[in-house]
Amino acid sequence: MITAIYPGSFDPITNGHIDVAQRASRLFSKLIIGVYDTPYKHLLFTIKERVEMARQAVAHLSNVKVQPFNGLAVNFAKKVKAQVMVRGLRVSADFEREFDMAMMNRKLNPELELICLIAKPKYQFLSSSLLKEVARLGGDIDDLVPKHVIQALSKKEGTSKM
Ligand code: ADP
């Protein structure tokens, strides 16, 4: 039985993240989406909101759970007894970043394996930050995030789109 974590900021969760979670849920007995409490970047949503949006987004996947975490992802993996960390790769810049992080994580926890899933072409350009920008400017994000995330963005940003 293999447990995997899928850590990230998920500010907010997008269809690209959900696709990775769905594909990973078929590979492992249990997948825990770890929502990082305090990433070193500007956040739109609180930890509670990010966790709640992620929970709703993967409610249909019975072996996928969502938990907030603080501190190092490798320590979160130890805490939930995960053997694998899942990350998504969109473009080559993601690879560079993931490679550096993987080297550091291996030093911190050599037992933890990293599995990277390549994003589907339709989500390759999709990032939470770009999504927030488009939503703020009133662009169409209907096929990029679930309905409840569109509603949360509208509420936050005061945009009229529902
Ligand atoms: P982080 O702050 O850790 O990068 P993100 O929430 O931005 O957190 O992303 C979490 C993980 O999901 C990362 O591995 C990222 O590369 C991946 N990811 C982000 N967007 C997509 C997407 N559209 N398709 C596939 N993977 C994605």
Side-chain angles (χ1 to χ4, degrees):
M1 185 174 143
I2 297 183
T3 298
I5 57 162
Y6 178 26
S9 317
F10 305 104
D11 185 49
I13 193 161
T14 69
N15 287 350
H17 294 128
I18 298 165
D19 181 58
V20 167
Q22 191 151 346
R23 287 157 59 199
S25 75
R26 288 191 221 113
L27 300 175
F28 308 109
S29 329
K30 190 174 172 191
L31 180 76
I32 302 169
I33 296 181
V35 184
Y36 185 28
D37 195 342
T38 45
Y40 193 65
K41 56 181 169 185
H42 171 75
L43 295 169
L44 180 62
F45 293 100
T46 65
I47 181 66
K48 222 172 136 205
E49 290 167 332
R50 286 180 285 135
V51 167
E52 185 47 41
M53 279 186 283
R55 282 199 177 130
Q56 274 196 52
V58 295
H60 60 295
L61 302 169
S62 59
N63 64 338
V64 181
K65 301 285 169 250
V66 181
Q67 278 187 35
F69 78 96
N70 230 318
L72 294 169
V74 289
N75 290 344
F76 176 60
K78 275 188 193 154
K79 192 176 147 212
V80 298
K81 297 187 171 51
Q83 299 93 326
V84 171
M85 181 189 296
V86 172
R87 297 281 287 172
L89 292 182
R90 286 158 297 185
V91 288
S92 51
D94 276 354
F95 173 79
E96 306 267 316
R97 202 167 131 253
E98 294 299 332
F99 190 83
D100 287 352
M101 267 199 293
M103 290 299 120
M104 182 56 84
N105 284 340
R106 175 161 294 168
K107 181 182 150 30
L108 297 169
N109 180 359
E111 302 296 307
L112 188 67
E113 282 298 342
L114 174 71
I115 303 258
C116 290
L117 298 181
I118 307 290
K120 283 202 182 139
K122 64 177 174 178
Y123 300 133
Q124 223 132 33
F125 65 94
L126 176 57
S127 67
S128 297
S129 46
L130 188 56
L131 176 92
K132 284 180 281 190
E133 188 68 14
V134 173
R136 192 173 66 84
L137 299 171
D140 184 2
I141 54 167
D142 279 2
D143 50 355
L144 302 178
V145 283
K147 274 211 169 68
H148 67 276
V149 175
I150 296 181
Q151 282 162 0
L153 279 163
S154 307
K155 230 165 126 188
K156 256 307 160 197
E157 306 283 14
T159 57
S160 56
K161 195 159 192 340
M162 290 292 278

